[in-house]
Amino acid sequence: MVTSSKKAKKTENNELKKSKKLPKSIAVMRLSAMGDVAMLAHTLRAFGEEYPSVKITLVTRKLFTPFFEGLGVDIVEVDTKGRHKGIKGLWRLFGDITRGRKIDAFADMHSVMRSVVIRWLMRLSGRKVASIHKGKVEKWFRVGHNSHNGVPLKHTVVRYCDVLRRLGFEFENPAPASRENNLRRENPMGEKRGRWVGFAPFSAHKGKTYPEDMSEQLVDLLAADCERVFIHSGGGAEAEFAQRMETKYDNVVALSGKVKLAGELNLIAHLDCVVSMDSLVMHMASLTATPVVSVWGATHPALGFLGWGCPEEGVLQLEMPCRPCSVYGERKCKSGDYKCLRAITPQMVADKVKELIEQK
């Protein structure tokens, strides 16, 4: 129950916000990577709830638009291989962002060459700008220094919020996504019966990819305990693995080629649990408030990349002096055996899935 004093304070804060000269139309830019773009949706949701009258123009790739469904943002689709390629392309992009829109502020959530150029064009045209502080020095200092023994670094979602705060806005960090709201999404796989689990063993880097032999064992355990198991993958060898598992088990479905990104996100909303590495599917599950068992190898959740709102009890990792050996998982294992991943057995993962489902 909200007390009268709290109501008065909230009213006072709202009046203070109204009295400040804040931007009325903001362009927000983030082009990659997929997981990082997905995390931005949490920030824009919280911002939109606090400042519904501020117009948000999101500058990103067409592929990523499903992450922002229902947020009421205008989207400028960036084509880095065509219209927006090279220096001339960036000038066209600046025009595409500002033409017909009264943009008065720019939030650079990426701080890479393309976004920096747009940022400076915005500044030269008299618009207010702010950019993300990625904390690269802090993150790299934690590599190989037992980051789990220190205070966790600022989460990426909070870093996004800070960019908007530097533009003068005041709002709380996002609450976790609503499970109830996301269950209204259309299920692309039809009526759900029994326990449905997703499994995403892949990543862009070997240090964040569950070993193939262990992935096969885990599929076997999940298929025996759940009514349906969906394997999330990219193309190539990943899709071949998923297809092999689909052929072997009657209740396993390889998603590659069957659903696009929007459909995959809708499916995740209806799953009882998702098993993911430090990768995109973990962040997609965080958008739909789906329980996640996250498996960590070369990287570490304390560096600020755990899915927003994902339960810490779902984190599986081995405490080792060499972890994390890299921020993004791209470095080769010095010992060559990736013990950090191999020590997390398929049975451990399956037990954690069962635990989270029973809690839910």
Side-chain angles (χ1 to χ4, degrees):
M1 187 174 184
V2 180
T3 65
S4 57
S5 61
K6 287 184 178 178
K7 286 183 179 179
K9 187 171 181 60
K10 186 175 182 180
T11 302
E12 182 183 348
N13 288 338
N14 288 337
E15 291 301 320
L16 284 171
K17 289 174 183 177
K18 290 178 182 178
S19 66
K20 293 170 67 175
K21 190 174 182 180
L22 295 172
K24 296 180 180 179
S25 181
I26 306 171
V28 178
M29 185 170 181
R30 178 86 203 197
L31 302 182
S32 64
M34 291 184 77
D36 295 287
V37 176
M39 284 189 276
L40 180 57
H42 292 290
T43 294
L44 297 188
R45 170 171 52 83
F47 178 81
E49 290 170 354
E50 190 68 24
Y51 294 94
S53 63
V54 177
K55 179 70 175 178
I56 300 174
T57 298
L58 176 64
V59 184
T60 192
R61 298 174 193 268
K62 182 179 180 178
L63 174 65
F64 304 148
T65 56
F67 298 147
F68 305 93
E69 181 183 343
L71 295 185
V73 300
D74 184 20
I75 296 180
V76 173
E77 297 174 357
V78 181
D79 178 11
T80 59
K81 295 182 179 179
R83 176 172 174 77
H84 303 129
K85 182 179 180 180
I87 297 298
K88 290 184 178 179
L90 288 175
W91 178 252
R92 291 193 197 100
L93 178 58
F94 174 71
D96 290 346
I97 297 170
T98 56
R99 192 179 302 111
R101 301 181 181 90
K102 297 180 180 179
I103 302 293
D104 50 12
F106 180 71
D108 182 359
M109 303 294 191
H110 208 168
S111 282
V112 294
M113 186 60 69
R114 284 191 178 94
S115 65
V116 169
V117 171
I118 299 299
R119 188 168 86 211
W120 278 103
L121 289 173
M122 290 287 183
R123 190 189 300 275
L124 289 171
S125 62
R127 296 173 172 91
K128 191 172 183 178
V129 303
S131 60
I132 190 170
H133 297 170
K134 295 181 178 179
K136 287 185 176 181
V137 175
E138 300 171 84
K139 290 173 182 175
W140 284 113
F141 180 75
R142 295 289 185 95
V143 171
H145 286 79
N146 276 342
S147 68
H148 51 280
N149 289 331
V151 177
L153 297 181
K154 186 179 291 187
H155 197 283
T156 300
V157 169
V158 180
R159 294 183 187 275
Y160 290 152
C161 291
D162 287 345
V163 177
L164 296 173
R165 289 170 183 143
R166 283 192 282 276
L167 291 175
F169 298 99
E170 299 176 13
F171 62 104
E172 297 294 323
N173 291 334
S178 166
R179 178 72 169 163
E180 182 180 353
N181 289 342
N182 280 286
L183 283 173
R184 297 170 187 159
R185 292 173 178 266
E186 182 180 356
N187 188 340
M189 292 298 168
E191 183 182 357
K192 180 179 179 295
R193 295 180 180 178
R195 288 163 295 183
W196 287 16
V197 172
F199 179 34
F202 306 107
S203 163
H205 304 295
K206 193 171 182 179
K208 300 194 300 182
T209 299
Y210 204 53
E212 185 171 322
D213 60 322
M214 296 172 68
S215 291
E216 291 191 29
Q217 295 172 40
L218 181 52
V219 171
D220 185 72
L221 292 170
L222 295 175
D225 200 44
C226 302
E227 276 63 38
R228 297 189 81 178
V229 178
F230 299 90
I231 301 182
H232 306 261
S233 74
E238 294 182 10
E240 289 175 9
F241 170 85
Q243 189 59 52
R244 193 167 73 248
M245 295 298 100
E246 181 180 83
T247 303
K248 185 175 181 180
Y249 301 95
D250 292 337
N251 61 338
V252 172
V253 178
L255 292 174
S256 179
K258 293 185 176 68
V259 292
K260 293 184 178 180
L261 186 65
E264 188 173 3
L265 188 61
N266 288 345
L267 172 63
I268 289 173
H270 293 275
L271 299 180
D272 294 288
C273 185
V274 167
V275 178
S276 176
M277 312 305 289
D278 172 16
S279 61
L280 171 64
V281 172
M282 172 180 64
H283 297 295
M284 292 174 70
S286 78
L287 292 178
T288 63
T290 301
V292 179
V293 173
S294 57
V295 181
W296 297 76
T299 58
H300 200 287
L303 297 180
F305 299 117
L306 179 64
W308 186 255
C310 291
E312 291 187 6
E313 58 266 30
V315 173
L316 288 177
Q317 59 181 333
L318 178 67
E319 304 294 2
M320 298 176 64
C322 60
R323 284 193 65 240
C325 62
S326 67
V327 176
Y328 306 109
E330 74 282 11
R331 291 187 179 182
K332 292 183 178 180
C333 177
K334 290 183 179 179
S335 60
D337 57 1
Y338 290 97
K339 182 181 178 181
C340 57
L341 286 169
R342 300 204 68 89
I344 303 172
T345 67
Q347 189 63 59
M348 290 168 61
V349 180
D351 289 344
K352 182 60 70 172
V353 168
K354 187 174 182 180
E355 177 188 324
L356 288 192
I357 290 177
E358 290 177 351
Q359 286 179 2
K360 181 175 74 68

